[in-house]
Amino acid sequence: MTAEYRPGLRGVERLNAKSVADAEATHLRRHGLSEWPETMAPQRETESVAARKRIADLLWYSVPSSDDTEAKSITADLLDNLIAATRDESAAELAAVRAERDEARKLNAALDRSLDDVIKDRDEYHEVADKLAYAVAPEEVIGEHSSMNCPWDNALDLITPMAEVDRLRDDLAKYAGQEPTVAEEMAELARRLDDVHHVCDEAEHNSLRWEHPLPVPEWVAVVREAADGMRPPGEDRRADAIQYGIRIPDGSVLNGTVTDLVEQQERLVRYRDCYPEAVLVQRTVRHGAWTEATS
């Protein structure tokens, strides 16, 4: 073999680290492994030596040398150097991959912890929001959480805006300290009762001022009793009937069971022939419940 023949050297130069790494990965997959265990190191070494020998047998004849022995020696040295460089590069790449894997594991662990914190915070905020919502209104008013209902929104709708609260406070401040005292309220009540009595007196006067007095309206006596607090509690205040009578000068009331006003007015005209000062009077009649008569 002459020194001028060099086409095979370019082929050796093209045998790069990736090709060796791919070949080693193929051997690992064949054994179902991700990396070589210690127990398989001898077998791996034997296979590597056999593979190097097969490659050397294919390449040595294209290596420039003085004889075949030298060509084979140079080829062996070239392959040994290539394998060593490839192993160094593979080890560095593997270390980098393992470092990235470890960093990814750390990142995943940190993300898991962060997710746990987010879930915990979410649950705490959910609980606080529920407390606030149900402090505004009970569950019967704002409901429960569902796909069709949000008690938080319902509670928010019920809350009076701060601007409205301020306006109401301003309105309240206008009347603060202006409430009447008990004495003032009693005086006002007495004034109103006096007005009620005055109305009753005026109605009675208007009925009796004529030469032939008219019956005093029924409501006068009822209102006076109510104004004076004389009506018993729980009393049936509805009148069953009004009876009309004729009062003569000695105070007696004649025909006091008549309920027909016109009839009694006509009778009053006749009575005044004997009792010129006779007047027409009336009374409210309230009947009790019917009970069985005793023999």
Side-chain angles (χ1 to χ4, degrees):
M1 181 177 293
T2 63
E4 288 77 14
Y5 182 70
R6 301 178 59 88
L9 187 59
R10 288 193 297 272
V12 175
E13 291 172 351
R14 287 196 298 269
L15 188 60
N16 54 27
K18 185 176 185 303
S19 299
V20 177
D22 291 343
E24 185 170 329
T26 301
H27 284 291
L28 290 174
R29 288 196 299 271
R30 183 184 303 167
H31 293 280
L33 301 172
S34 59
E35 60 183 9
W36 291 101
E38 294 297 330
T39 56
M40 295 188 67
Q43 177 181 356
R44 179 189 180 193
E45 184 66 23
T46 301
E47 292 184 358
S48 298
V49 172
R52 186 180 67 84
K53 185 177 183 303
R54 288 193 298 272
I55 295 173
D57 290 342
L58 295 173
L59 298 178
W60 69 266
Y61 65 87
S62 61
V63 176
S65 61
S66 57
D67 53 31
D68 293 346
T69 301
E70 183 182 2
K72 292 180 180 180
S73 176
I74 293 174
T75 301
D77 291 341
L78 289 173
L79 290 175
D80 288 341
N81 292 336
L82 178 62
I83 292 172
T86 300
R87 285 179 176 172
D88 292 341
E89 291 179 4
S90 298
E93 291 178 359
L94 181 60
V97 170
R98 287 177 175 173
E100 291 179 359
R101 178 200 62 190
D102 294 340
E103 287 298 323
R105 287 177 177 174
K106 292 179 181 179
L107 179 59
N108 287 338
L111 290 175
D112 286 340
R113 290 191 298 270
S114 298
L115 181 59
D116 290 339
D117 293 340
V118 169
I119 293 175
K120 181 180 178 181
D121 291 342
R122 180 205 63 187
D123 294 341
E124 291 178 353
Y125 294 151
H126 191 287
E127 183 179 355
V128 171
D130 277 347
K131 288 182 179 179
L132 290 174
Y134 291 118
V136 173
E139 182 179 317
E140 294 77 10
V141 176
I142 61 178
E144 297 179 338
H145 289 280
S146 69
S147 59
M148 302 296 293
N149 183 71
C150 180
W152 301 344
D153 290 340
N154 298 337
L156 187 61
D157 292 339
L158 295 176
I159 295 176
T160 303
M162 195 62 194
E164 180 66 12
V165 173
D166 292 339
R167 187 189 67 78
L168 294 174
R169 286 176 175 172
D170 291 341
D171 292 344
L172 181 61
K174 297 177 183 178
Y175 302 100
Q178 299 183 16
E179 297 85 355
T181 63
V182 175
E184 291 173 342
E185 290 182 347
M186 293 300 295
E188 177 64 17
L189 180 60
R191 184 189 65 78
R192 295 181 182 183
L193 289 176
D194 288 342
D195 291 342
V196 171
H197 281 291
H198 176 74
V199 171
C200 293
D201 293 343
E202 191 175 49
E204 184 177 27
H205 173 72
N206 290 336
S207 297
L208 300 178
R209 64 178 177 167
W210 308 104
E211 179 181 358
H212 301 292
L214 298 174
V216 178
E218 176 191 3
W219 59 264
V220 172
V222 176
V223 171
R224 277 177 175 166
E225 288 180 0
D228 293 337
M230 301 300 295
R231 304 201 72 187
E235 177 187 0
D236 185 1
R237 302 182 180 184
R238 293 173 299 175
D240 293 334
I242 299 177
Q243 293 180 342
Y244 302 96
I246 298 174
R247 179 183 292 145
I248 60 178
D250 64 0
S252 301
V253 177
L254 308 178
N255 300 103
T257 60
V258 177
T259 58
D260 188 332
L261 175 59
V262 176
E263 177 185 345
Q264 200 69 312
Q265 287 175 335
E266 293 176 350
R267 184 176 288 109
L268 176 62
V269 174
R270 296 194 299 271
Y271 269 62
R272 280 181 175 166
D273 291 339
C274 299
Y275 306 103
E277 297 180 359
V279 295
L280 186 66
V281 294
Q282 70 180 37
R283 64 181 177 182
T284 300
V285 180
R286 296 180 178 85
H287 297 90
W290 287 98
T291 58
E292 186 177 350
T294 58
S295 56

